[in-house]
mmCIF file of all heavy atoms in Angstrom:
data_model
loop_
_atom_site.group_PDB
_atom_site.id
_atom_site.type_symbol
_atom_site.label_atom_id
_atom_site.label_comp_id
_atom_site.label_asym_id
_atom_site.label_seq_id
_atom_site.Cartn_x
_atom_site.Cartn_y
_atom_site.Cartn_z
ATOM 1 N N TYR A 120 119.092 124.392 97.330
ATOM 2 C CA TYR A 120 119.022 125.404 96.279
ATOM 3 C C TYR A 120 118.610 126.727 96.891
ATOM 4 O O TYR A 120 117.988 126.782 97.948
ATOM 5 C CB TYR A 120 118.003 124.992 95.201
ATOM 6 C CG TYR A 120 118.402 123.732 94.481
ATOM 7 C CD1 TYR A 120 117.946 122.485 94.910
ATOM 8 C CD2 TYR A 120 119.279 123.776 93.407
ATOM 9 C CE1 TYR A 120 118.334 121.319 94.262
ATOM 10 C CE2 TYR A 120 119.675 122.614 92.756
ATOM 11 C CZ TYR A 120 119.209 121.399 93.192
ATOM 12 O OH TYR A 120 119.609 120.250 92.560
ATOM 13 N N ASP A 121 118.939 127.798 96.174
ATOM 14 C CA ASP A 121 118.497 129.126 96.575
ATOM 15 C C ASP A 121 117.081 129.403 96.069
ATOM 16 O O ASP A 121 116.320 130.125 96.710
ATOM 17 C CB ASP A 121 119.452 130.196 96.030
ATOM 18 C CG ASP A 121 120.830 130.083 96.665
ATOM 19 O OD1 ASP A 121 120.917 130.194 97.900
ATOM 20 O OD2 ASP A 121 121.809 129.869 95.937
ATOM 21 N N VAL A 122 116.755 128.850 94.902
ATOM 22 C CA VAL A 122 115.447 129.054 94.274
ATOM 23 C C VAL A 122 115.097 127.812 93.465
ATOM 24 O O VAL A 122 115.982 127.186 92.874
ATOM 25 C CB VAL A 122 115.465 130.278 93.314
ATOM 26 C CG1 VAL A 122 114.118 130.474 92.649
ATOM 27 C CG2 VAL A 122 115.893 131.548 94.029
ATOM 28 N N VAL A 123 113.800 127.483 93.432
ATOM 29 C CA VAL A 123 113.293 126.438 92.538
ATOM 30 C C VAL A 123 112.354 127.110 91.542
ATOM 31 O O VAL A 123 111.389 127.767 91.947
ATOM 32 C CB VAL A 123 112.532 125.340 93.312
ATOM 33 C CG1 VAL A 123 111.927 124.324 92.345
ATOM 34 C CG2 VAL A 123 113.454 124.640 94.308
ATOM 35 N N LEU A 124 112.662 126.976 90.248
ATOM 36 C CA LEU A 124 111.748 127.408 89.188
ATOM 37 C C LEU A 124 110.919 126.193 88.823
ATOM 38 O O LEU A 124 111.461 125.185 88.374
ATOM 39 C CB LEU A 124 112.521 127.912 87.964
ATOM 40 C CG LEU A 124 113.449 129.091 88.174
ATOM 41 C CD1 LEU A 124 114.107 129.481 86.857
ATOM 42 C CD2 LEU A 124 112.718 130.275 88.775
ATOM 43 N N LEU A 125 109.612 126.263 89.010
ATOM 44 C CA LEU A 125 108.773 125.069 88.976
ATOM 45 C C LEU A 125 107.567 125.220 88.065
ATOM 46 O O LEU A 125 106.706 126.076 88.297
ATOM 47 C CB LEU A 125 108.301 124.762 90.400
ATOM 48 C CG LEU A 125 107.439 123.543 90.619
ATOM 49 C CD1 LEU A 125 108.203 122.257 90.300
ATOM 50 C CD2 LEU A 125 106.938 123.525 92.060
ATOM 51 N N ASP A 126 107.508 124.379 87.042
ATOM 52 C CA ASP A 126 106.317 124.294 86.206
ATOM 53 C C ASP A 126 105.249 123.542 87.001
ATOM 54 O O ASP A 126 105.562 122.687 87.835
ATOM 55 C CB ASP A 126 106.655 123.534 84.918
ATOM 56 C CG ASP A 126 105.543 123.569 83.891
ATOM 57 O OD1 ASP A 126 104.612 124.388 84.022
ATOM 58 O OD2 ASP A 126 105.606 122.774 82.937
ATOM 59 N N LEU A 127 103.986 123.854 86.751
ATOM 60 C CA LEU A 127 102.907 123.156 87.461
ATOM 61 C C LEU A 127 102.443 121.906 86.735
ATOM 62 O O LEU A 127 102.178 120.888 87.361
ATOM 63 C CB LEU A 127 101.710 124.091 87.669
ATOM 64 C CG LEU A 127 101.882 125.209 88.685
ATOM 65 C CD1 LEU A 127 100.589 126.015 88.789
ATOM 66 C CD2 LEU A 127 102.282 124.676 90.048
ATOM 67 N N LEU A 128 102.319 121.983 85.419
ATOM 68 C CA LEU A 128 101.740 120.884 84.651
ATOM 69 C C LEU A 128 102.846 120.018 84.059
ATOM 70 O O LEU A 128 103.488 120.403 83.085
ATOM 71 C CB LEU A 128 100.837 121.429 83.544
ATOM 72 C CG LEU A 128 99.691 122.316 84.009
ATOM 73 C CD1 LEU A 128 98.943 122.884 82.819
ATOM 74 C CD2 LEU A 128 98.755 121.557 84.924
ATOM 75 N N MET A 129 103.067 118.859 84.681
ATOM 76 C CA MET A 129 104.101 117.925 84.234
ATOM 77 C C MET A 129 103.607 116.500 84.435
ATOM 78 O O MET A 129 102.750 116.256 85.278
ATOM 79 C CB MET A 129 105.393 118.116 85.047
ATOM 80 C CG MET A 129 106.054 119.458 84.878
ATOM 81 S SD MET A 129 107.540 119.609 85.878
ATOM 82 C CE MET A 129 106.854 119.676 87.539
ATOM 83 N N PRO A 130 104.172 115.554 83.672
ATOM 84 C CA PRO A 130 103.794 114.146 83.868
ATOM 85 C C PRO A 130 104.380 113.593 85.173
ATOM 86 O O PRO A 130 105.238 114.224 85.785
ATOM 87 C CB PRO A 130 104.396 113.447 82.654
ATOM 88 C CG PRO A 130 105.517 114.321 82.221
ATOM 89 C CD PRO A 130 105.118 115.733 82.587
ATOM 90 N N ARG A 131 103.936 112.433 85.522
ATOM 91 C CA ARG A 131 104.350 111.691 86.721
ATOM 92 C C ARG A 131 104.018 112.483 87.980
ATOM 93 O O ARG A 131 102.961 112.276 88.543
ATOM 94 C CB ARG A 131 105.812 111.278 86.658
ATOM 95 C CG ARG A 131 106.095 110.352 85.485
ATOM 96 C CD ARG A 131 107.338 109.573 85.614
ATOM 97 N NE ARG A 131 108.524 110.397 85.678
ATOM 98 C CZ ARG A 131 109.738 109.895 85.785
ATOM 99 N NH1 ARG A 131 109.915 108.586 85.838
ATOM 100 N NH2 ARG A 131 110.774 110.663 85.837
ATOM 101 N N VAL A 132 104.869 113.358 88.430
ATOM 102 C CA VAL A 132 104.580 114.188 89.603
ATOM 103 C C VAL A 132 104.539 115.639 89.119
ATOM 104 O O VAL A 132 105.505 116.120 88.534
ATOM 105 C CB VAL A 132 105.666 114.021 90.692
ATOM 106 C CG1 VAL A 132 105.391 114.946 91.866
ATOM 107 C CG2 VAL A 132 105.749 112.571 91.156
ATOM 108 N N ASP A 133 103.420 116.322 89.364
ATOM 109 C CA ASP A 133 103.297 117.702 88.903
ATOM 110 C C ASP A 133 103.890 118.683 89.918
ATOM 111 O O ASP A 133 104.407 118.281 90.963
ATOM 112 C CB ASP A 133 101.845 118.039 88.578
ATOM 113 C CG ASP A 133 100.927 118.024 89.798
ATOM 114 O OD1 ASP A 133 101.402 117.901 90.946
ATOM 115 O OD2 ASP A 133 99.701 118.139 89.593
ATOM 116 N N GLY A 134 103.811 119.958 89.602
ATOM 117 C CA GLY A 134 104.375 120.980 90.479
ATOM 118 C C GLY A 134 103.742 121.001 91.860
ATOM 119 O O GLY A 134 104.414 121.239 92.863
ATOM 120 N N LEU A 135 102.435 120.749 91.923
ATOM 121 C CA LEU A 135 101.771 120.718 93.233
ATOM 122 C C LEU A 135 102.312 119.576 94.084
ATOM 123 O O LEU A 135 102.457 119.712 95.309
ATOM 124 C CB LEU A 135 100.262 120.591 93.057
ATOM 125 C CG LEU A 135 99.574 121.750 92.331
ATOM 126 C CD1 LEU A 135 98.094 121.444 92.126
ATOM 127 C CD2 LEU A 135 99.781 123.053 93.067
ATOM 128 N N GLY A 136 102.644 118.451 93.449
ATOM 129 C CA GLY A 136 103.244 117.326 94.167
ATOM 130 C C GLY A 136 104.619 117.682 94.720
ATOM 131 O O GLY A 136 104.977 117.282 95.826
ATOM 132 N N VAL A 137 105.384 118.450 93.957
ATOM 133 C CA VAL A 137 106.705 118.883 94.421
ATOM 134 C C VAL A 137 106.557 119.811 95.624
ATOM 135 O O VAL A 137 107.252 119.668 96.628
ATOM 136 C CB VAL A 137 107.496 119.580 93.288
ATOM 137 C CG1 VAL A 137 108.805 120.173 93.823
ATOM 138 C CG2 VAL A 137 107.776 118.606 92.151
ATOM 139 N N ILE A 138 105.623 120.745 95.537
ATOM 140 C CA ILE A 138 105.397 121.666 96.656
ATOM 141 C C ILE A 138 104.950 120.902 97.896
ATOM 142 O O ILE A 138 105.414 121.169 99.011
ATOM 143 C CB ILE A 138 104.390 122.766 96.259
ATOM 144 C CG1 ILE A 138 105.043 123.688 95.212
ATOM 145 C CG2 ILE A 138 103.922 123.550 97.473
ATOM 146 C CD1 ILE A 138 104.085 124.640 94.537
ATOM 147 N N SER A 139 104.067 119.924 97.726
ATOM 148 C CA SER A 139 103.634 119.099 98.869
ATOM 149 C C SER A 139 104.814 118.369 99.491
ATOM 150 O O SER A 139 104.947 118.321 100.713
ATOM 151 C CB SER A 139 102.578 118.090 98.427
ATOM 152 O OG SER A 139 101.397 118.736 98.078
ATOM 153 N N TYR A 140 105.671 117.788 98.642
ATOM 154 C CA TYR A 140 106.858 117.102 99.145
ATOM 155 C C TYR A 140 107.739 118.071 99.932
ATOM 156 O O TYR A 140 108.225 117.733 101.018
ATOM 157 C CB TYR A 140 107.669 116.476 98.000
ATOM 158 C CG TYR A 140 109.029 116.035 98.449
ATOM 159 C CD1 TYR A 140 109.194 114.848 99.160
ATOM 160 C CD2 TYR A 140 110.140 116.839 98.230
ATOM 161 C CE1 TYR A 140 110.444 114.468 99.622
ATOM 162 C CE2 TYR A 140 111.395 116.459 98.701
ATOM 163 C CZ TYR A 140 111.543 115.280 99.386
ATOM 164 O OH TYR A 140 112.781 114.915 99.864
ATOM 165 N N MET A 141 107.943 119.263 99.403
ATOM 166 C CA MET A 141 108.794 120.244 100.080
ATOM 167 C C MET A 141 108.220 120.589 101.454
ATOM 168 O O MET A 141 108.957 120.627 102.442
ATOM 169 C CB MET A 141 108.947 121.502 99.210
ATOM 170 C CG MET A 141 109.773 121.278 97.950
ATOM 171 S SD MET A 141 109.806 122.712 96.842
ATOM 172 C CE MET A 141 110.823 123.859 97.815
ATOM 173 N N LYS A 142 106.913 120.827 101.520
ATOM 174 C CA LYS A 142 106.278 121.160 102.802
ATOM 175 C C LYS A 142 106.428 120.012 103.801
ATOM 176 O O LYS A 142 106.800 120.228 104.956
ATOM 177 C CB LYS A 142 104.801 121.484 102.587
ATOM 178 C CG LYS A 142 104.574 122.827 101.944
ATOM 179 C CD LYS A 142 103.137 123.065 101.565
ATOM 180 C CE LYS A 142 102.189 122.965 102.708
ATOM 181 N NZ LYS A 142 100.801 123.322 102.352
ATOM 182 N N GLU A 143 106.143 118.788 103.346
ATOM 183 C CA GLU A 143 106.229 117.624 104.228
ATOM 184 C C GLU A 143 107.647 117.376 104.707
ATOM 185 O O GLU A 143 107.856 116.864 105.813
ATOM 186 C CB GLU A 143 105.724 116.374 103.497
ATOM 187 C CG GLU A 143 104.239 116.382 103.232
ATOM 188 C CD GLU A 143 103.820 115.316 102.233
ATOM 189 O OE1 GLU A 143 104.649 114.460 101.849
ATOM 190 O OE2 GLU A 143 102.640 115.357 101.814
ATOM 191 N N SER A 144 108.627 117.739 103.893
ATOM 192 C CA SER A 144 110.033 117.490 104.222
ATOM 193 C C SER A 144 110.693 118.660 104.924
ATOM 194 O O SER A 144 111.874 118.592 105.257
ATOM 195 C CB SER A 144 110.813 117.174 102.935
ATOM 196 O OG SER A 144 110.246 116.055 102.298
ATOM 197 N N GLY A 145 109.966 119.743 105.122
ATOM 198 C CA GLY A 145 110.535 120.907 105.788
ATOM 199 C C GLY A 145 111.505 121.698 104.914
ATOM 200 O O GLY A 145 112.313 122.468 105.430
ATOM 201 N N ILE A 146 111.419 121.534 103.606
ATOM 202 C CA ILE A 146 112.275 122.281 102.683
ATOM 203 C C ILE A 146 111.641 123.642 102.462
ATOM 204 O O ILE A 146 110.495 123.738 102.023
ATOM 205 C CB ILE A 146 112.449 121.524 101.348
ATOM 206 C CG1 ILE A 146 113.148 120.184 101.592
ATOM 207 C CG2 ILE A 146 113.223 122.378 100.338
ATOM 208 C CD1 ILE A 146 113.165 119.260 100.394
ATOM 209 N N THR A 147 112.379 124.693 102.773
ATOM 210 C CA THR A 147 111.832 126.046 102.713
ATOM 211 C C THR A 147 112.388 126.869 101.548
ATOM 212 O O THR A 147 112.241 128.085 101.523
ATOM 213 C CB THR A 147 112.105 126.788 104.030
ATOM 214 O OG1 THR A 147 113.531 126.832 104.244
ATOM 215 C CG2 THR A 147 111.420 126.106 105.199
ATOM 216 N N THR A 148 112.995 126.219 100.575
ATOM 217 C CA THR A 148 113.534 126.910 99.410
ATOM 218 C C THR A 148 112.423 127.682 98.703
ATOM 219 O O THR A 148 111.367 127.113 98.408
ATOM 220 C CB THR A 148 114.159 125.892 98.430
ATOM 221 O OG1 THR A 148 115.142 125.135 99.120
ATOM 222 C CG2 THR A 148 114.784 126.598 97.242
ATOM 223 N N PRO A 149 112.646 128.966 98.420
ATOM 224 C CA PRO A 149 111.632 129.735 97.706
ATOM 225 C C PRO A 149 111.359 129.160 96.316
ATOM 226 O O PRO A 149 112.281 128.735 95.620
ATOM 227 C CB PRO A 149 112.249 131.134 97.586
ATOM 228 C CG PRO A 149 113.319 131.182 98.607
ATOM 229 C CD PRO A 149 113.810 129.778 98.774
ATOM 230 N N VAL A 150 110.092 129.172 95.931
ATOM 231 C CA VAL A 150 109.659 128.627 94.646
ATOM 232 C C VAL A 150 109.111 129.762 93.783
ATOM 233 O O VAL A 150 108.349 130.605 94.257
ATOM 234 C CB VAL A 150 108.560 127.556 94.847
ATOM 235 C CG1 VAL A 150 107.984 127.104 93.516
ATOM 236 C CG2 VAL A 150 109.109 126.376 95.637
ATOM 237 N N VAL A 151 109.517 129.740 92.513
ATOM 238 C CA VAL A 151 108.912 130.599 91.498
ATOM 239 C C VAL A 151 108.159 129.666 90.564
ATOM 240 O O VAL A 151 108.761 128.839 89.889
ATOM 241 C CB VAL A 151 109.972 131.407 90.715
ATOM 242 C CG1 VAL A 151 109.312 132.196 89.591
ATOM 243 C CG2 VAL A 151 110.755 132.328 91.645
ATOM 244 N N VAL A 152 106.835 129.761 90.578
ATOM 245 C CA VAL A 152 106.025 128.944 89.691
ATOM 246 C C VAL A 152 106.078 129.566 88.303
ATOM 247 O O VAL A 152 105.897 130.779 88.146
ATOM 248 C CB VAL A 152 104.572 128.857 90.198
ATOM 249 C CG1 VAL A 152 103.643 128.304 89.128
ATOM 250 C CG2 VAL A 152 104.505 128.008 91.454
ATOM 251 N N ILE A 153 106.359 128.720 87.310
ATOM 252 C CA ILE A 153 106.364 129.146 85.909
ATOM 253 C C ILE A 153 105.403 128.214 85.177
ATOM 254 O O ILE A 153 105.624 127.018 85.114
ATOM 255 C CB ILE A 153 107.779 129.108 85.297
ATOM 256 C CG1 ILE A 153 108.447 127.746 85.514
ATOM 257 C CG2 ILE A 153 108.632 130.224 85.861
ATOM 258 C CD1 ILE A 153 109.754 127.564 84.783
ATOM 259 N N SER A 154 104.313 128.760 84.669
ATOM 260 C CA SER A 154 103.303 127.903 84.066
ATOM 261 C C SER A 154 102.588 128.626 82.936
ATOM 262 O O SER A 154 102.389 129.842 82.996
ATOM 263 C CB SER A 154 102.285 127.474 85.123
ATOM 264 O OG SER A 154 101.365 126.560 84.582
ATOM 265 N N ALA A 155 102.226 127.864 81.923
ATOM 266 C CA ALA A 155 101.443 128.422 80.823
ATOM 267 C C ALA A 155 100.000 128.646 81.252
ATOM 268 O O ALA A 155 99.314 129.506 80.713
ATOM 269 C CB ALA A 155 101.497 127.489 79.620
ATOM 270 N N VAL A 156 99.552 127.883 82.237
ATOM 271 C CA VAL A 156 98.165 127.960 82.693
ATOM 272 C C VAL A 156 98.140 128.534 84.103
ATOM 273 O O VAL A 156 98.683 127.953 85.031
ATOM 274 C CB VAL A 156 97.501 126.565 82.679
ATOM 275 C CG1 VAL A 156 96.082 126.645 83.195
ATOM 276 C CG2 VAL A 156 97.552 125.967 81.293
#
C-alpha cells in the first residue's frame, strides 16, 4: 500500500499491534493514525 489509515482502538489486534507487526516485518508503508482518543 501507499498509505495505511489506522485506528488505534480496535478489538482483537489494536493499531499498536499493527504498527508492531509492520516494524517486525520491515514494512515501511506510511501510517496515518485516525483515532477518537
Side-chain angles (χ1 to χ4, degrees):
Y120 296 93
D121 294 301
V122 179
V123 176
L124 300 181
L125 181 65
D126 189 14
L127 289 181
L128 302 175
M129 296 179 290
R131 299 199 298 180
V132 177
D133 66 8
L135 297 175
V137 173
I138 291 169
S139 292
Y140 167 78
M141 291 174 70
K142 286 172 58 175
E143 291 166 8
S144 302
I146 297 170
T147 59
T148 304
V150 173
V151 175
V152 166
I153 52 172
S154 185
V156 178

